[in-house]
Amino acid sequence: MELNLVLKKIREGKNITLSKMANDLNWPISKLSKIESGNQEITVTELQSICELLGENIKDVVEQKRITSVGNKPFINNLSQEFEKLIINYKSVSRENFANNDIVKIATKSIPESIAKGVDIDLQKFLVKGSGGNGQPAEVPWVSIFIRDITTTATKGLYLVFLIKADFSGMYLSLNQGFTYFKDKYGTKEGKLKIRKASKEVRNLLTTIPRDSLFDIDLACSNSLGKGYEAGNIAAKYYSIDNLPSSDELIDDIRSYLISYEELKGHKGFRTVDQFYDYLLLKEDGYEIDDEKDKEAIDEVLGSNNIKESEAEFKGEKKDKKDAIIDNKGKKVYPRDSKVAANALKIAGYKCEVDETHSSFTRRSNGKNYTESHHLIPVNCQDEFEYSLDVEENICSICSNCHNCLHYGIDEERVKLLQKLYDERKDHLARVGLEINFDELKKYYKICQS
């Protein structure tokens, strides 16, 4: 923005008329009008007089800091300078002088206000909040942007945050996650491994992460809270105290990462954050809920040669069922272990269990005949059984044609295939706690034929 327009915007924002300013400065109104219109050059002395009257710093005006109208009062964005002041002076904060400390207030008040106004954030949707510690200085002061529908605290959920390094050499802008879920569910040690795996899974989901993002951050910290921030980083950008960018550049970076934050909210969908993590970590442990992705995962297992000959047999052991998880549409679904399904195909010798003579094609991943896994008792019936349906005894190897027939064929054809599979498997099913008669099984397939 040109200097003359900056001056005009500030004056109008403060509800000062051109005639009042001219009168206060004892200048002709025509002179001020020409300066604001750009038709007359302004001297340094004249600019200093105008800035003093407007109550503005001449350096900020000359450098043309971003100006945002807030009501009738203009806001000049000094975000970069505020961060610089915070980082340089925070080491002077102690337990003894913590209460009402002006440096702490930069983190808790000045910077959040500058971000909210500079980015023009909808405060009904977002919360901008900073912390310098609780009764004593924090090892890692932070200023965060929360989507209220996800979280309003840095201890849990997903959020965007500025993290000041413990050695005050710089700071990160990080798309991050709270450690509480992982600590409560897995304990501190395993929780740190799980949160890093969750970070990786989130990165795999997102398509809008800025290209120069860092996936590992070093806060030069020693306490567990700071280590949790390091482990929880999804994507970040680093700023050295020796080369902090301008306020405008910081605002632009915030906007870029907010796009990824919004995308992440979309992936979370109707789930709670805990339900979202349950889903992510099931995938990381080799479970799937989507049919097509399940096929891909099974193929990957078969191609890895990790299925040993000794494992390719029915164990006849009852298996505890896993809890259902919630997909991004809010629907309850049941996880499937791709390793179990791959093992079931190997037990069947990669043949169609409806009819071994059914030919297929050669599977690219392992050079074997291609068949597909099919849960004889559908997985969506899990609530009606005490033990897991995701066991080899309940997974049949069948050709694509038979598989499609079971799902989409007419009842007369489906019942013949189902009878064949049931007769072969009923004893195996009983051994793993899945006792069922054929009439009950037909009901699960919505087959009405007697």
Side-chain angles (χ1 to χ4, degrees), residues 34-49:
K34 289 178 181 178
I35 288 174
E36 287 193 354
S37 65
N39 293 322
Q40 180 173 321
E41 295 291 330
I42 184 171
T43 67
V44 174
T45 302
E46 290 170 342
L47 178 60
Q48 182 68 53
S49 298

Side-chain angles (χ1 to χ4, degrees), residues 112 115-117 119-129 144-153 158-160 175 254-255 257-263 265:
I115 291 174
K117 295 172 183 176
V119 182
D120 194 20
I121 281 180
D122 179 359
L123 295 179
Q124 295 295 315
K125 179 178 179 181
F126 294 94
L127 170 67
V128 188
K129 180 181 178 182
S144 187
I145 303 173
F146 304 106
I147 294 179
R148 293 180 184 271
D149 287 347
I150 296 179
T151 185
T152 56
T153 172
L158 301 148
Y159 49 86
L160 185 61
L175 186 58
I254 292 171
R255 289 191 173 116
Y257 279 90
L258 279 176
I259 291 172
S260 297
Y261 191 14
E262 292 271 18
E263 183 190 358
K265 179 189 176 186

Side-chain angles (χ1 to χ4, degrees), residues 71-351:
N72 292 324
K73 181 181 179 182
F75 168 70
I76 300 178
N77 197 327
N78 293 318
L79 184 60
S80 182
Q81 292 91 328
E82 289 167 347
F83 269 121
E84 182 178 28
K85 185 177 179 181
L86 174 66
I87 295 171
I88 290 174
N89 293 287
Y90 202 79
K91 62 185 70 175
S92 68
V93 180
S94 65
R95 182 191 292 268
E96 289 70 29
N97 65 17
F98 185 83
N100 296 316
N101 190 292
D102 288 339
I103 301 302
V104 175
K105 289 179 182 177
I106 297 175
T108 60
K109 183 174 175 60
S110 301
I111 292 177
E113 288 181 355
S114 292
I115 291 174
K117 295 172 183 176
V119 182
D120 194 20
I121 281 180
D122 179 359
L123 295 179
Q124 295 295 315
K125 179 178 179 181
F126 294 94
L127 170 67
V128 188
K129 180 181 178 182
S131 174
N134 185 15
Q136 61 182 343
E139 184 181 32
V140 178
W142 55 264
V143 180
S144 187
I145 303 173
F146 304 106
I147 294 179
R148 293 180 184 271
D149 287 347
I150 296 179
T151 185
T152 56
T153 172
T155 60
K156 62 181 180 180
L158 301 148
Y159 49 86
L160 185 61
V161 62
F162 280 100
L163 298 165
I164 310 300
K165 290 190 66 170
D167 61 3
F168 306 107
S169 60
M171 66 181 184
Y172 292 94
L173 174 60
S174 171
L175 186 58
N176 213 292
Q177 21 182 6
F179 186 55
T180 298
Y181 164 89
F182 301 92
K183 182 179 179 181
D184 290 348
K185 186 166 184 176
Y186 302 103
T188 301
K189 185 176 181 180
E190 187 180 357
K192 287 180 180 178
L193 297 175
K194 291 292 186 180
I195 195 173
R196 288 186 184 277
K197 290 177 178 178
S199 297
K200 180 179 178 182
E201 291 296 333
V202 170
R203 284 195 290 270
N204 289 337
L205 288 175
L206 298 178
T207 61
T208 58
I209 293 177
R211 292 184 179 181
D212 58 350
S213 293
L214 302 171
F215 298 153
D216 294 302
I217 63 175
D218 179 10
L219 293 171
C221 58
S222 58
N223 69 26
S224 59
L225 186 59
K227 294 295 183 182
Y229 293 138
E230 290 177 342
N233 177 62
I234 297 167
K237 185 167 185 176
Y238 179 66
Y239 309 95
S240 169
I241 186 60
D242 297 325
N243 189 30
L244 286 180
S246 69
S247 298
D248 285 1
E249 290 175 296
L250 285 174
I251 293 298
D252 287 342
D253 287 341
I254 292 171
R255 289 191 173 116
S256 294
Y257 279 90
L258 279 176
I259 291 172
S260 297
Y261 191 14
E262 292 271 18
E263 183 190 358
L264 182 51
K265 179 189 176 186
H267 285 292
K268 183 186 80 68
F270 296 100
R271 292 170 285 198
T272 65
V273 173
D274 287 2
Q275 289 169 342
F276 178 60
Y277 281 136
D278 287 342
Y279 168 74
L280 285 182
L281 295 174
L282 277 173
K283 287 173 63 66
E284 189 273 327
D285 289 336
Y287 290 89
E288 286 289 349
I289 59 172
D290 177 86
D291 286 336
E292 287 305 315
K293 290 183 179 179
D294 191 34
K295 288 180 182 178
E296 293 174 6
I298 292 169
D299 205 53
E300 186 176 339
V301 173
L302 291 172
S304 67
N305 294 318
N306 287 335
I307 302 177
K308 299 177 182 179
E309 291 290 340
S310 60
E311 294 177 344
E313 60 182 13
F314 293 135
K315 298 179 177 63
E317 299 172 353
K318 297 174 182 177
K319 179 180 175 181
D320 290 336
K321 60 184 179 182
K322 293 189 74 67
D323 293 332
I325 60 173
I326 307 299
D327 66 13
N328 63 352
K329 297 179 181 178
K331 180 183 176 183
K332 184 166 70 171
V333 291
Y334 298 87
R336 291 164 287 186
D337 189 337
S338 54
K339 296 184 292 295
V340 172
N343 198 43
L345 297 183
K346 188 172 183 66
I347 292 171
Y350 306 102
K351 296 177 181 179

Side-chain angles (χ1 to χ4, degrees), residues 376-388:
L376 187 56
I377 304 174
V379 180
N380 60 12
C381 302
Q382 182 63 79
D383 282 349
E384 299 185 34
F385 291 85
E386 180 180 358
Y387 297 101
S388 176

